[in-house]
C-alpha cells in the first residue's frame, strides 16, 4: 500500500480530511460521490465490515505499524497519508482518535420502504440535530433490537464524523434512511406509531397495548422542544416515561434507550 508523507497543511491530496465541510462531504448535488469520515480503528473496522469503500487513510506515523496496521492491510491500493501528531491535529482541527481517519464512499440512500421491509420496530428521529445524541440513539438502536432508523430531513446526518464516532460504528449496523410525511408513510407501510411526549393524554410507556403492537414506530423529538404538535396529533399513541423526584424528562438519547428496551418486539 502507498505510504505518503505530508508536511504541509495545504496539501491538496488531504483536502477531504481538512478543507471540506460536512455538507460538502455529503454532496447532495451528486450523491454518487458523497463521502464521510470514519474516525478511530474500531469504527473504521465496523465500516469496512459493513462493505463501505475506503478512499484514503490519514494516520499518525506511530500507528502505521500499530493500531492501524490491520486496517491498512485490508485496504490494498488505498493511499495512506501520514505525518506527525501535531501536524495532523493542525490539519484536521482536532486530535485524531487513536491516530487514524478513513475517508469512505457513501452508499446509496435507502428509502423508507427499504428500511421498513420486514421490520417490527423502527424509530423516527424528528428534528434532532445534536451529533452526540444522533450517535447515541443509533448505538442504543443497534444494541436494543430496533430494526431500522428513519430521520426527518431537518435532523442531523448520521454519517457526520462525530455522530459516527459516538455511535461506535453502530450507524453501519442498523438500516437507516430519510422519511417525508412520517405518519402517512408509516401507516401505509403497516405500522402504528407512538409519539414520545408529555401531554395530558400520554399513557405510560409500559402500557400493554404498546408492546402488543406487531409493528410499531417510536417517534423521538428534538432535544429542547420535543416533538412538534402535528407529529403528536398524527400519532396513534402518545407515551411518556414515568419520572421521579420532580424530573420532567430525559435527554432524547437516554429516553430513546428506555423506549427501545421497553417497547422491543417480543417473541
Amino acid at each position: 500500500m502507498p505510504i505518503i508523507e505530508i508536511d504541509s497543511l495545504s496539501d491538496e491530496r488531504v483536502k477531504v480530511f481538512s478543507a471540506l465541510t460536512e455538507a460538502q462531504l455529503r454532496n447532495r448535488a451528486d450523491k454518487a460521490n458523497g463521502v464521510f469520515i470514519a474516525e478511530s480503528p474500531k469504527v473504521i473496522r465496523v465500516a469496512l465490515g459493513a462493505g463501505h469503500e475506503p478512499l484514503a487513510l490519514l494516520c499518525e506515523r506511530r500507528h502505521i505499524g500499530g493500531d492501524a496496521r490491520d486496517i491498512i492491510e485490508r485496504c490494498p491500493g488505498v493511499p495512506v497519508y501520514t505525518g506527525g501528531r501535531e501536524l495532523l491535529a493542525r490539519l484536521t482541527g482536532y486530535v485524531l482518535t487513536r491516530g487514524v481517519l478513513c475517508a469512505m464512499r457513501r452508499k446509496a440512500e435507502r428509502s423508507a420502504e427499504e428500511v421498513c421491509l420486514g421490520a417490527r420496530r423502527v424509530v423516527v428521529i424528528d428534528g434532532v440535530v445534536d451529533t452526540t445524541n444522533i450517535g447515541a440513539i443509533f448505538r442504543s438502536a443497534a444494541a436494543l433490537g430496533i430494526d431500522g432508523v428513519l430521520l426527518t430531513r431537518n435532523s442531523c446526518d448520521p454519517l457526520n464524523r462525530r455522530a459516527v464516532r459516538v455511535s461506535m460504528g453502530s450507524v453501519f449496523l442498523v438500516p437507516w434512511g430519510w422519511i417525508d410525511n412520517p405518519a402517512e408513510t408509516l401507516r401505509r407501510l403497516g405500522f402504528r406509531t407512538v409519539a414520545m411526549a408529555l401531554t395530558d393524554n400520554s399513557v405510560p410507556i409500559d402500557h400493554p397495548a404498546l408492546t402488543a403492537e406487531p409493528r410499531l414506530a417510536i417517534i423521538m423529538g428534538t432535544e429542547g422542544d420535543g416533538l412538534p404538535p402535528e407529529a403528536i396529533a398524527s400519532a396513534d399513541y402518545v407515551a411518556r416515561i414515568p419520572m421521579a423526584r420532580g424530573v420532567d424528562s430525559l435527554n432524547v438519547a437516554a429516553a430513546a434507550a428506555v423506549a427501545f428496551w421497553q417497547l422491543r418486539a417480543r417473541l
Side-chain angles (χ1 to χ4, degrees), residues 30-66:
D30 184 8
K31 293 180 181 179
N33 289 313
V35 176
F36 68 92
I37 304 298
E39 180 182 3
S40 88
K42 179 174 182 178
V43 170
I44 295 169
R45 291 183 190 109
V46 176
L48 290 172
H52 285 277
E53 177 192 355
L55 300 175
L57 287 156
L58 184 67
C59 183
E60 290 180 22
R61 289 192 202 95
R62 64 194 181 104
H63 290 297
I64 290 176

Side-chain angles (χ1 to χ4, degrees), residues 189-221:
L189 295 174
F191 282 82
R192 301 270 278 175
T193 56
V194 55
M196 299 300 301
L198 299 172
T199 68
D200 293 339
N201 64 338
S202 297
V203 299
I205 197 173
D206 59 356
H207 194 287
L210 296 174
T211 53
E213 288 289 351
R215 304 188 85 191
L216 188 66
I218 304 162
I219 308 175
M220 309 296 303

Side-chain angles (χ1 to χ4, degrees), residues 27 42 75 106 123 135 144 155 180 206 228 258:
N27 198 357
K42 179 174 182 178
C75 302
R106 285 176 178 261
V123 60
L144 299 175
S155 295
D180 301 303
D206 59 356
V258 174

Side-chain angles (χ1 to χ4, degrees), residues 150-169:
L150 296 165
L151 304 99
T152 58
R153 303 284 177 176
N154 58 339
S155 295
C156 171
D157 175 21
L159 294 185
N160 172 283
R161 178 186 63 84
R162 181 168 175 77
V164 171
R165 181 163 64 83
V166 171
S167 82
M168 296 300 290

Side-chain angles (χ1 to χ4, degrees), residues 92-107:
T92 60
Y94 50 89
V95 175
L96 277 60
T97 302
R98 302 292 296 276
V100 58
L101 299 177
C102 185
M104 310 190 89
R105 180 85 64 202
R106 285 176 178 261
K107 290 185 177 181

